[in-house]
Amino acid sequence: MLITDLNELTNLCTLEEKRQQNTLSLIASENYMPQDICCSVNILSNKYAEGYPGKRYYAGCSIIDEIESCAIKACQKLFQVEYANVQLHSGSQANQAAFLAVLKPGDRIMGLNFAAGGHLTHGHSKNFSGIFFQAQYYTVDPTTEQIDYNQLEDAVKLHRPKLLIAGASAYPRSIDFAAFAAIAQRHNAVLLADIAHIAGLVATKQHASPVEHADIITGTTHKTLRGPRGGFILAKEAWAKKIDQAVMPGIQGGPHMHTIAQKAACFLEAHTQGFVSYQEQVIQNARALARELQSQGFTLVSDGTDTHLLIIKTEPLGLTGREAEERLEKIGITASRSSIPFDKASPLVTSGLRLGTAAITTRGMQAEHMREIAECIYLALCQDNPTVAKERITQLARAFPIPERYL
Ligand code: DSN
């Protein structure tokens, strides 16, 4: 359908808002940003501000400078880190800039295998990271489906990467950044920690921080951190100049100042006790959902979770990840198909379904509501009974509307 008029566009946005209100997002990388943060700063989108506070290539940036400085300081304080760059448009661009700061084209990198939960930007053959760099992988132990740090060291010793990446998009367990750092140091690799998914958990100490261990840390603000769609880079001061240059002029031009203002609000909110309680609840809900699903007979990758996400194996149900995703969408749950360790199915099909609790926890759900969700997932995936499940999910969505303000 070709949109020819602004009203039609507005209608589509209203329809999307209704869709979000009437369904539950269990997509592990999604969340609901506070509406009072997102509406007030659109005026900043009018301003060009290439450069950094106090060093811009445009006039009229004095207020913009204060806003970006506020975001930088709040981010540094939140993560207790010496340097922060808040201009990254996304987590992928944060990784691009980190690579540019550390590597030359053709250098070797090593990240977690894609099927085991690694991200596209950690060396996938169709991504810049696998096109411009020589990518090697480590994987998880086939029995525990968790990273085995002896096997990781063997892989690093064998392939000698210049950059070792610790982080994932679909790995339900904690990451031992200290162990990664020890291995990187022993084998002269630079350590990049990608905390895109777990940034909110790290900020509130629900997951150990990589700040003491990693050379460079990349992350996103829109997942567990519950802010605007965007990225950031943290590092020790020694990396500051190289990273600033890698971001601008390396890969980006004008920063999105409206998003940077939203990031500032997000970092400030993340300092509050209310946000800490929210993150504690995200983890409690993920554990409760894992337990309820297991009691319904589902098999989970690595047998559980330490974080905000978990992955159901769909092969034992006679379904692909894609079919499971479609069945859940029919009952009003959005979730994402996910490869599982050593998956034989293609990434478009997969043998797993990734679920996360960051968004439903923002809606106010508690551990006791995870049973209702698990039962509806059981009805949809094991009994192919969408009608009852959809009614129950609709009621739950109505009982827990997306809030406008949180704290
Ligand atoms: N697409 C994001 C996710 O779903 O994990 C990562 O970039």
Side-chain angles (χ1 to χ4, degrees), residues 8-35:
E8 288 180 52
L9 199 55
T10 310
N11 288 344
L12 284 179
C13 292
T14 308
L15 281 178
E16 172 59 12
E17 191 184 341
K18 280 193 185 138
R19 186 198 67 77
Q20 291 189 17
Q21 282 289 7
N22 295 335
T23 58
L24 299 185
S25 173
L26 291 183
I27 292 178
S29 48
E30 290 188 359
N31 211 330
Y32 306 108
M33 178 170 65
Q35 290 304 296

PDB file of all heavy atoms in Angstrom, residues 8-35:
ATOM      1  N   GLU A   8      -2.844   9.197   6.842  1.00  0.00           N
ATOM      2  CA  GLU A   8      -2.737   7.734   6.752  1.00  0.00           C
ATOM      3  C   GLU A   8      -1.536   7.257   7.554  1.00  0.00           C
ATOM      4  O   GLU A   8      -1.575   6.214   8.214  1.00  0.00           O
ATOM      5  CB  GLU A   8      -2.586   7.302   5.298  1.00  0.00           C
ATOM      6  CG  GLU A   8      -3.852   7.463   4.489  1.00  0.00           C
ATOM      7  CD  GLU A   8      -3.641   7.021   3.043  1.00  0.00           C
ATOM      8  OE1 GLU A   8      -3.159   5.902   2.830  1.00  0.00           O
ATOM      9  OE2 GLU A   8      -3.935   7.827   2.146  1.00  0.00           O
ATOM     10  N   LEU A   9      -0.470   8.048   7.504  1.00  0.00           N
ATOM     11  CA  LEU A   9       0.735   7.700   8.254  1.00  0.00           C
ATOM     12  C   LEU A   9       0.442   7.738   9.765  1.00  0.00           C
ATOM     13  O   LEU A   9       0.816   6.829  10.513  1.00  0.00           O
ATOM     14  CB  LEU A   9       1.832   8.705   7.894  1.00  0.00           C
ATOM     15  CG  LEU A   9       3.260   8.329   8.172  1.00  0.00           C
ATOM     16  CD1 LEU A   9       3.623   7.010   7.521  1.00  0.00           C
ATOM     17  CD2 LEU A   9       4.183   9.433   7.644  1.00  0.00           C
ATOM     18  N   THR A  10      -0.271   8.789  10.171  1.00  0.00           N
ATOM     19  CA  THR A  10      -0.639   8.906  11.590  1.00  0.00           C
ATOM     20  C   THR A  10      -1.518   7.731  12.000  1.00  0.00           C
ATOM     21  O   THR A  10      -1.360   7.156  13.079  1.00  0.00           O
ATOM     22  CB  THR A  10      -1.403  10.234  11.832  1.00  0.00           C
ATOM     23  OG1 THR A  10      -0.641  11.278  11.253  1.00  0.00           O
ATOM     24  CG2 THR A  10      -1.601  10.515  13.302  1.00  0.00           C
ATOM     25  N   ASN A  11      -2.450   7.354  11.102  1.00  0.00           N
ATOM     26  CA  ASN A  11      -3.320   6.207  11.409  1.00  0.00           C
ATOM     27  C   ASN A  11      -2.510   4.942  11.614  1.00  0.00           C
ATOM     28  O   ASN A  11      -2.799   4.136  12.496  1.00  0.00           O
ATOM     29  CB  ASN A  11      -4.322   5.962  10.277  1.00  0.00           C
ATOM     30  CG  ASN A  11      -5.387   7.033  10.266  1.00  0.00           C
ATOM     31  OD1 ASN A  11      -5.549   7.755  11.257  1.00  0.00           O
ATOM     32  ND2 ASN A  11      -6.091   7.149   9.146  1.00  0.00           N
ATOM     33  N   LEU A  12      -1.496   4.773  10.771  1.00  0.00           N
ATOM     34  CA  LEU A  12      -0.665   3.566  10.904  1.00  0.00           C
ATOM     35  C   LEU A  12       0.045   3.556  12.254  1.00  0.00           C
ATOM     36  O   LEU A  12       0.162   2.515  12.899  1.00  0.00           O
ATOM     37  CB  LEU A  12       0.360   3.490   9.768  1.00  0.00           C
ATOM     38  CG  LEU A  12      -0.196   3.046   8.413  1.00  0.00           C
ATOM     39  CD1 LEU A  12       0.909   3.046   7.376  1.00  0.00           C
ATOM     40  CD2 LEU A  12      -0.811   1.650   8.502  1.00  0.00           C
ATOM     41  N   CYS A  13       0.503   4.729  12.676  1.00  0.00           N
ATOM     42  CA  CYS A  13       1.184   4.798  13.988  1.00  0.00           C
ATOM     43  C   CYS A  13       0.194   4.466  15.099  1.00  0.00           C
ATOM     44  O   CYS A  13       0.535   3.765  16.062  1.00  0.00           O
ATOM     45  CB  CYS A  13       1.802   6.177  14.205  1.00  0.00           C
ATOM     46  SG  CYS A  13       3.168   6.477  13.081  1.00  0.00           S
ATOM     47  N   THR A  14      -1.053   4.948  14.959  1.00  0.00           N
ATOM     48  CA  THR A  14      -2.070   4.631  15.973  1.00  0.00           C
ATOM     49  C   THR A  14      -2.354   3.127  15.994  1.00  0.00           C
ATOM     50  O   THR A  14      -2.499   2.518  17.054  1.00  0.00           O
ATOM     51  CB  THR A  14      -3.376   5.406  15.671  1.00  0.00           C
ATOM     52  OG1 THR A  14      -3.017   6.777  15.518  1.00  0.00           O
ATOM     53  CG2 THR A  14      -4.393   5.266  16.776  1.00  0.00           C
ATOM     54  N   LEU A  15      -2.416   2.543  14.788  1.00  0.00           N
ATOM     55  CA  LEU A  15      -2.646   1.091  14.714  1.00  0.00           C
ATOM     56  C   LEU A  15      -1.528   0.325  15.392  1.00  0.00           C
ATOM     57  O   LEU A  15      -1.755  -0.648  16.113  1.00  0.00           O
ATOM     58  CB  LEU A  15      -2.743   0.639  13.250  1.00  0.00           C
ATOM     59  CG  LEU A  15      -4.057   0.889  12.545  1.00  0.00           C
ATOM     60  CD1 LEU A  15      -3.960   0.423  11.088  1.00  0.00           C
ATOM     61  CD2 LEU A  15      -5.200   0.146  13.256  1.00  0.00           C
ATOM     62  N   GLU A  16      -0.283   0.792  15.169  1.00  0.00           N
ATOM     63  CA  GLU A  16       0.859   0.117  15.790  1.00  0.00           C
ATOM     64  C   GLU A  16       0.806   0.274  17.314  1.00  0.00           C
ATOM     65  O   GLU A  16       1.090  -0.668  18.058  1.00  0.00           O
ATOM     66  CB  GLU A  16       2.175   0.661  15.211  1.00  0.00           C
ATOM     67  CG  GLU A  16       3.441   0.180  15.909  1.00  0.00           C
ATOM     68  CD  GLU A  16       3.651  -1.350  15.930  1.00  0.00           C
ATOM     69  OE1 GLU A  16       2.952  -2.077  15.214  1.00  0.00           O
ATOM     70  OE2 GLU A  16       4.519  -1.803  16.702  1.00  0.00           O
ATOM     71  N   GLU A  17       0.390   1.455  17.752  1.00  0.00           N
ATOM     72  CA  GLU A  17       0.270   1.664  19.202  1.00  0.00           C
ATOM     73  C   GLU A  17      -0.757   0.685  19.792  1.00  0.00           C
ATOM     74  O   GLU A  17      -0.520   0.054  20.828  1.00  0.00           O
ATOM     75  CB  GLU A  17      -0.157   3.108  19.472  1.00  0.00           C
ATOM     76  CG  GLU A  17      -0.043   3.498  20.926  1.00  0.00           C
ATOM     77  CD  GLU A  17      -0.568   4.906  21.180  1.00  0.00           C
ATOM     78  OE1 GLU A  17      -0.688   5.702  20.221  1.00  0.00           O
ATOM     79  OE2 GLU A  17      -0.875   5.200  22.345  1.00  0.00           O
ATOM     80  N   LYS A  18      -1.871   0.510  19.081  1.00  0.00           N
ATOM     81  CA  LYS A  18      -2.906  -0.432  19.551  1.00  0.00           C
ATOM     82  C   LYS A  18      -2.362  -1.852  19.563  1.00  0.00           C
ATOM     83  O   LYS A  18      -2.610  -2.623  20.484  1.00  0.00           O
ATOM     84  CB  LYS A  18      -4.138  -0.370  18.633  1.00  0.00           C
ATOM     85  CG  LYS A  18      -5.026   0.791  18.949  1.00  0.00           C
ATOM     86  CD  LYS A  18      -6.380   0.637  18.261  1.00  0.00           C
ATOM     87  CE  LYS A  18      -7.216   1.869  18.503  1.00  0.00           C
ATOM     88  NZ  LYS A  18      -7.928   2.307  17.302  1.00  0.00           N
ATOM     89  N   ARG A  19      -1.619  -2.190  18.484  1.00  0.00           N
ATOM     90  CA  ARG A  19      -1.055  -3.548  18.436  1.00  0.00           C
ATOM     91  C   ARG A  19      -0.169  -3.782  19.651  1.00  0.00           C
ATOM     92  O   ARG A  19      -0.248  -4.825  20.310  1.00  0.00           O
ATOM     93  CB  ARG A  19      -0.235  -3.739  17.145  1.00  0.00           C
ATOM     94  CG  ARG A  19       0.274  -5.162  16.947  1.00  0.00           C
ATOM     95  CD  ARG A  19       1.421  -5.268  15.949  1.00  0.00           C
ATOM     96  NE  ARG A  19       2.631  -4.628  16.409  1.00  0.00           N
ATOM     97  CZ  ARG A  19       3.466  -5.158  17.312  1.00  0.00           C
ATOM     98  NH1 ARG A  19       3.224  -6.333  17.829  1.00  0.00           N
ATOM     99  NH2 ARG A  19       4.544  -4.492  17.694  1.00  0.00           N
ATOM    100  N   GLN A  20       0.666  -2.782  19.968  1.00  0.00           N
ATOM    101  CA  GLN A  20       1.569  -2.960  21.104  1.00  0.00           C
ATOM    102  C   GLN A  20       0.785  -3.080  22.409  1.00  0.00           C
ATOM    103  O   GLN A  20       1.132  -3.878  23.286  1.00  0.00           O
ATOM    104  CB  GLN A  20       2.568  -1.798  21.178  1.00  0.00           C
ATOM    105  CG  GLN A  20       3.573  -1.826  20.024  1.00  0.00           C
ATOM    106  CD  GLN A  20       4.714  -0.824  20.188  1.00  0.00           C
ATOM    107  OE1 GLN A  20       4.965  -0.312  21.258  1.00  0.00           O
ATOM    108  NE2 GLN A  20       5.401  -0.542  19.084  1.00  0.00           N
ATOM    109  N   GLN A  21      -0.295  -2.282  22.548  1.00  0.00           N
ATOM    110  CA  GLN A  21      -1.093  -2.344  23.788  1.00  0.00           C
ATOM    111  C   GLN A  21      -1.821  -3.680  23.922  1.00  0.00           C
ATOM    112  O   GLN A  21      -1.954  -4.205  25.024  1.00  0.00           O
ATOM    113  CB  GLN A  21      -2.147  -1.216  23.813  1.00  0.00           C
ATOM    114  CG  GLN A  21      -1.622   0.156  24.168  1.00  0.00           C
ATOM    115  CD  GLN A  21      -1.223   0.316  25.643  1.00  0.00           C
ATOM    116  OE1 GLN A  21      -1.214  -0.638  26.424  1.00  0.00           O
ATOM    117  NE2 GLN A  21      -0.851   1.532  26.013  1.00  0.00           N
ATOM    118  N   ASN A  22      -2.295  -4.226  22.795  1.00  0.00           N
ATOM    119  CA  ASN A  22      -3.163  -5.409  22.863  1.00  0.00           C
ATOM    120  C   ASN A  22      -2.410  -6.730  22.850  1.00  0.00           C
ATOM    121  O   ASN A  22      -3.020  -7.788  22.939  1.00  0.00           O
ATOM    122  CB  ASN A  22      -4.153  -5.405  21.691  1.00  0.00           C
ATOM    123  CG  ASN A  22      -5.107  -4.235  21.807  1.00  0.00           C
ATOM    124  OD1 ASN A  22      -5.337  -3.738  22.910  1.00  0.00           O
ATOM    125  ND2 ASN A  22      -5.631  -3.770  20.689  1.00  0.00           N
ATOM    126  N   THR A  23      -1.086  -6.673  22.670  1.00  0.00           N
ATOM    127  CA  THR A  23      -0.304  -7.908  22.630  1.00  0.00           C
ATOM    128  C   THR A  23       0.812  -7.792  23.666  1.00  0.00           C
ATOM    129  O   THR A  23       1.063  -6.708  24.204  1.00  0.00           O
ATOM    130  CB  THR A  23       0.320  -8.131  21.238  1.00  0.00           C
ATOM    131  OG1 THR A  23       1.149  -7.004  20.928  1.00  0.00           O
ATOM    132  CG2 THR A  23      -0.732  -8.276  20.160  1.00  0.00           C
ATOM    133  N   LEU A  24       1.465  -8.914  23.934  1.00  0.00           N
ATOM    134  CA  LEU A  24       2.594  -8.897  24.873  1.00  0.00           C
ATOM    135  C   LEU A  24       3.879  -9.112  24.098  1.00  0.00           C
ATOM    136  O   LEU A  24       3.972 -10.058  23.306  1.00  0.00           O
ATOM    137  CB  LEU A  24       2.450 -10.008  25.906  1.00  0.00           C
ATOM    138  CG  LEU A  24       1.220  -9.964  26.811  1.00  0.00           C
ATOM    139  CD1 LEU A  24       1.315 -11.071  27.855  1.00  0.00           C
ATOM    140  CD2 LEU A  24       1.079  -8.599  27.486  1.00  0.00           C
ATOM    141  N   SER A  25       4.886  -8.267  24.325  1.00  0.00           N
ATOM    142  CA  SER A  25       6.180  -8.492  23.689  1.00  0.00           C
ATOM    143  C   SER A  25       7.055  -9.315  24.626  1.00  0.00           C
ATOM    144  O   SER A  25       7.425  -8.856  25.712  1.00  0.00           O
ATOM    145  CB  SER A  25       6.879  -7.165  23.370  1.00  0.00           C
ATOM    146  OG  SER A  25       8.196  -7.478  22.917  1.00  0.00           O
ATOM    147  N   LEU A  26       7.360 -10.519  24.147  1.00  0.00           N
ATOM    148  CA  LEU A  26       8.371 -11.339  24.842  1.00  0.00           C
ATOM    149  C   LEU A  26       9.642 -11.357  24.005  1.00  0.00           C
ATOM    150  O   LEU A  26      10.463 -12.258  24.126  1.00  0.00           O
ATOM    151  CB  LEU A  26       7.849 -12.752  25.070  1.00  0.00           C
ATOM    152  CG  LEU A  26       6.714 -12.925  26.088  1.00  0.00           C
ATOM    153  CD1 LEU A  26       6.353 -14.395  26.244  1.00  0.00           C
ATOM    154  CD2 LEU A  26       7.090 -12.375  27.444  1.00  0.00           C
ATOM    155  N   ILE A  27       9.786 -10.390  23.113  1.00  0.00           N
ATOM    156  CA  ILE A  27      11.021 -10.276  22.325  1.00  0.00           C
ATOM    157  C   ILE A  27      12.094  -9.738  23.271  1.00  0.00           C
ATOM    158  O   ILE A  27      11.935  -8.662  23.862  1.00  0.00           O
ATOM    159  CB  ILE A  27      10.799  -9.383  21.090  1.00  0.00           C
ATOM    160  CG1 ILE A  27       9.845 -10.104  20.124  1.00  0.00           C
ATOM    161  CG2 ILE A  27      12.138  -9.053  20.418  1.00  0.00           C
ATOM    162  CD1 ILE A  27       9.483  -9.356  18.870  1.00  0.00           C
ATOM    163  N   ALA A  28      13.170 -10.528  23.413  1.00  0.00           N
ATOM    164  CA  ALA A  28      14.135 -10.255  24.492  1.00  0.00           C
ATOM    165  C   ALA A  28      14.868  -8.935  24.309  1.00  0.00           C
ATOM    166  O   ALA A  28      15.442  -8.400  25.255  1.00  0.00           O
ATOM    167  CB  ALA A  28      15.136 -11.400  24.568  1.00  0.00           C
ATOM    168  N   SER A  29      14.853  -8.396  23.089  1.00  0.00           N
ATOM    169  CA  SER A  29      15.572  -7.149  22.833  1.00  0.00           C
ATOM    170  C   SER A  29      14.639  -5.940  22.827  1.00  0.00           C
ATOM    171  O   SER A  29      15.069  -4.840  22.515  1.00  0.00           O
ATOM    172  CB  SER A  29      16.294  -7.256  21.486  1.00  0.00           C
ATOM    173  OG  SER A  29      15.410  -7.758  20.505  1.00  0.00           O
ATOM    174  N   GLU A  30      13.356  -6.149  23.153  1.00  0.00           N
ATOM    175  CA  GLU A  30      12.415  -5.020  23.116  1.00  0.00           C
ATOM    176  C   GLU A  30      12.049  -4.551  24.519  1.00  0.00           C
ATOM    177  O   GLU A  30      12.172  -5.291  25.497  1.00  0.00           O
ATOM    178  CB  GLU A  30      11.149  -5.410  22.344  1.00  0.00           C
ATOM    179  CG  GLU A  30      11.400  -5.564  20.851  1.00  0.00           C
ATOM    180  CD  GLU A  30      10.132  -5.771  20.040  1.00  0.00           C
ATOM    181  OE1 GLU A  30       9.026  -5.827  20.618  1.00  0.00           O
ATOM    182  OE2 GLU A  30      10.254  -5.888  18.810  1.00  0.00           O
ATOM    183  N   ASN A  31      11.586  -3.300  24.577  1.00  0.00           N
ATOM    184  CA  ASN A  31      11.107  -2.734  25.834  1.00  0.00           C
ATOM    185  C   ASN A  31      10.219  -1.549  25.489  1.00  0.00           C
ATOM    186  O   ASN A  31      10.036  -1.228  24.303  1.00  0.00           O
ATOM    187  CB  ASN A  31      12.296  -2.294  26.707  1.00  0.00           C
ATOM    188  CG  ASN A  31      11.986  -2.425  28.187  1.00  0.00           C
ATOM    189  OD1 ASN A  31      10.842  -2.293  28.604  1.00  0.00           O
ATOM    190  ND2 ASN A  31      13.014  -2.672  28.978  1.00  0.00           N
ATOM    191  N   TYR A  32       9.631  -0.895  26.486  1.00  0.00           N
ATOM    192  CA  TYR A  32       8.787   0.275  26.243  1.00  0.00           C
ATOM    193  C   TYR A  32       9.444   1.491  26.876  1.00  0.00           C
ATOM    194  O   TYR A  32       9.561   1.577  28.096  1.00  0.00           O
ATOM    195  CB  TYR A  32       7.404   0.067  26.874  1.00  0.00           C
ATOM    196  CG  TYR A  32       6.717  -1.212  26.455  1.00  0.00           C
ATOM    197  CD1 TYR A  32       6.595  -2.269  27.343  1.00  0.00           C
ATOM    198  CD2 TYR A  32       6.204  -1.376  25.165  1.00  0.00           C
ATOM    199  CE1 TYR A  32       5.963  -3.447  26.973  1.00  0.00           C
ATOM    200  CE2 TYR A  32       5.576  -2.553  24.793  1.00  0.00           C
ATOM    201  CZ  TYR A  32       5.456  -3.583  25.701  1.00  0.00           C
ATOM    202  OH  TYR A  32       4.831  -4.758  25.330  1.00  0.00           O
ATOM    203  N   MET A  33       9.880   2.424  26.030  1.00  0.00           N
ATOM    204  CA  MET A  33      10.518   3.633  26.563  1.00  0.00           C
ATOM    205  C   MET A  33       9.450   4.541  27.175  1.00  0.00           C
ATOM    206  O   MET A  33       8.352   4.669  26.625  1.00  0.00           O
ATOM    207  CB  MET A  33      11.235   4.368  25.419  1.00  0.00           C
ATOM    208  CG  MET A  33      11.883   5.654  25.892  1.00  0.00           C
ATOM    209  SD  MET A  33      12.957   6.413  24.677  1.00  0.00           S
ATOM    210  CE  MET A  33      11.843   6.855  23.385  1.00  0.00           C
ATOM    211  N   PRO A  34       9.756   5.202  28.304  1.00  0.00           N
ATOM    212  CA  PRO A  34       8.759   6.113  28.886  1.00  0.00           C
ATOM    213  C   PRO A  34       8.333   7.182  27.881  1.00  0.00           C
ATOM    214  O   PRO A  34       9.179   7.815  27.257  1.00  0.00           O
ATOM    215  CB  PRO A  34       9.502   6.758  30.064  1.00  0.00           C
ATOM    216  CG  PRO A  34      10.645   5.874  30.355  1.00  0.00           C
ATOM    217  CD  PRO A  34      11.002   5.165  29.084  1.00  0.00           C
ATOM    218  N   GLN A  35       7.019   7.374  27.729  1.00  0.00           N
ATOM    219  CA  GLN A  35       6.523   8.341  26.738  1.00  0.00           C
ATOM    220  C   GLN A  35       6.893   9.772  27.097  1.00  0.00           C
ATOM    221  O   GLN A  35       7.109  10.607  26.231  1.00  0.00           O
ATOM    222  CB  GLN A  35       5.007   8.226  26.599  1.00  0.00           C
ATOM    223  CG  GLN A  35       4.570   6.945  25.926  1.00  0.00           C
ATOM    224  CD  GLN A  35       5.205   6.770  24.555  1.00  0.00           C
ATOM    225  OE1 GLN A  35       4.960   7.562  23.654  1.00  0.00           O
ATOM    226  NE2 GLN A  35       6.049   5.763  24.386  1.00  0.00           N
TER     227      GLN A  35
END
